[in-house]
Amino acid sequence: MTERLNPNDIAKAAALLRAGHLVAFGTETVYGLGADACNADAVAAIYTAKGRPSFNPLICHFADARTAFKYVTPTQLAKTLAAKFWPGPLTLVLPRTPNCPVSLLAGAGLPTLAVRVPAQATALQLLKHFGGPIAAPSANRSGRISPTTAQHVLAALNGRIAAILDSGPCAVGLESTVLDLSGPTPVLLRPGGISLEALEAEIGPIQHATTALHAPASPGMLLSHYAPTLPLRLNATSLAADEALLAFGPPLPGANLLFQLSATKNLAEASARLFEALHLLDAQSPAQGLARIAAMPIPLTGLGLAINDRLTRAAAPRDKM
Ligand code: TXA
Ligand code: MG
């Protein structure tokens, strides 16, 4: 059985991690499935619990930038972005330091490491208490919808992990933005909780990863990902009788089951509710005789880029997993 811990149990959660166990914990983005990043067996257990392809590298979480930059070598841009956006939903891919003790498996054997400092009080306390890097992918089964509540985590991983540290729902609700700073120019590997516009305002133009160039390096770019069980249709402007509605703004007529992402078309609100919406529509549709989910169009600006990224992958043909 997976033990439920609360924010008073930080010491216990840290002790479990130190002993090589898996502990899920809340961050501002989504719940992470944490392990001691320097313990190869513990990291291997993450891949097993998630059913994750072993080539997909994990993000290492730190209590602060000073600690993170002992494990990777920061560029000037990295220092600028860390000062501006950490703690926060930004992950930086940087070269490992020569004697970096993080298990090679955590980085899937790459010469780089993805690092971030989460903006969530309980997560930061856990990281401080633990003292070293915690490797943590999203705490869901590989390819499925990311978890934004402790409930979501338990539904997918109960019994497969030692404990979950319940810190309530995640405020941002979308994974961190992943930016590769290890090459000559910055490359956006995954849109996320910090918008491209906000990053470009600090450091100038950012190249978009092309699947052909970066897919092997960042398999989080796999086409089918974040997928509900039911098929998902994008940019719906009308609704079929067997469809549940993922609404953004005034809902399309005729929905028997709908989840409103944001009545006022607020993209931050929609981000925070996106995965909750997919979990709920997926769970409740069959009982209502509904077989598919239709999503209304969402603009591609600001956090809309990340929302559309997740929806596109959730809608992709499942044989592309
Ligand atoms: O918000 C988040 O980032 C959450 C929370 C728990 O922090 N974590 C998360 O982890 O989303 P995960 O494992 O689901 O996604 C990590 C992404 C993947 O797309 C992976 O391919 C990419 O980061 N990544 C990790 N290390 C990398 C590296 N060295 N080079 C390129 N991409 C990397
Ligand atoms: Mg994930």
Side-chain angles (χ1 to χ4, degrees):
M1 271 308 264
T2 297
E3 190 174 358
R4 281 189 89 138
L5 304 176
N6 64 53
N8 296 323
D9 301 322
I10 297 289
K12 179 153 200 193
L16 284 169
L17 287 171
R18 253 178 241 120
H21 295 293
L22 301 185
V23 178
F25 62 99
T27 77
E28 81 281 31
T29 59
V30 300
Y31 271 76
L33 178 52
D36 177 353
C38 300
N39 177 338
D41 291 331
V43 172
I46 290 183
Y47 291 96
T48 310
K50 277 186 70 92
R52 172 172 228 174
S54 58
F55 49 75
N56 198 349
L58 309 174
I59 294 172
C60 286
H61 299 70
F62 296 87
D64 50 53
R66 203 176 49 86
T67 315
F69 293 158
K70 289 179 185 161
Y71 293 78
V72 290
T73 307
T75 58
Q76 191 49 51
L77 287 187
K79 290 180 191 165
T80 302
L81 292 174
K84 174 83 184 174
F85 295 108
W86 281 355
L90 174 66
T91 293
L92 301 177
V93 174
L94 289 162
R96 296 168 68 111
T97 50
N99 295 314
C100 177
V102 169
S103 111
L104 282 173
L105 182 60
L110 297 171
T112 55
L113 209 56
V115 297
R116 91 173 187 99
V117 178
Q120 213 278 353
T122 309
L124 286 173
Q125 279 170 28
L126 177 65
L127 285 160
K128 273 205 192 86
H129 221 95
F130 180 68
I134 299 179
S138 48
N140 51 294
R141 301 278 294 173
S142 189
R144 292 297 170 190
I145 309 168
S146 300
T148 53
T149 64
Q151 232 43 55
H152 295 159
V153 177
L154 285 173
L157 297 173
N158 199 5
R160 303 178 75 91
I161 60 177
I164 173 159
L165 185 54
D166 185 348
S167 54
C170 303
V172 174
L174 279 180
E175 292 86 348
S176 60
T177 303
V178 181
L179 188 68
D180 187 353
L181 295 178
S182 68
T185 54
V187 179
L188 179 72
L189 296 182
R190 178 178 74 182
I194 299 283
S195 73
L196 186 61
E197 291 91 330
L199 292 175
E200 289 189 327
E202 292 302 315
I203 63 167
I206 293 172
Q207 202 191 324
H208 285 249
T210 60
T211 314
L213 268 178
H214 293 95
S218 193
M221 299 173 65
L222 289 176
L223 199 50
S224 174
H225 212 75
Y226 314 102
T229 316
L230 298 181
L232 175 69
R233 184 168 70 87
L234 303 184
N235 297 317
T237 48
S238 66
L239 200 64
D242 67 343
E243 286 180 326
L245 180 66
L246 184 64
F248 182 72
L252 296 172
N256 289 324
L257 176 65
L258 80 79
F259 192 108
Q260 178 57 268
L261 286 175
S262 173
T264 58
K265 299 195 169 190
N266 177 311
L267 289 168
E269 184 186 23
S271 303
R273 292 162 63 83
L274 178 68
F275 289 134
E276 177 71 24
L278 292 176
H279 278 286
L280 260 168
L281 292 178
D282 208 28
Q284 294 180 0
S285 290
Q288 312 240 9
L290 304 172
R292 298 184 292 152
I293 301 170
M296 291 174 63
I298 294 172
L300 276 162
T301 52
L303 292 176
L305 186 64
I307 297 175
N308 278 289
D309 171 80
R310 304 304 186 273
L311 284 175
T312 304
R313 291 171 206 279
R318 304 298 156 80
D319 59 359
K320 297 275 170 49
M321 280 171 86

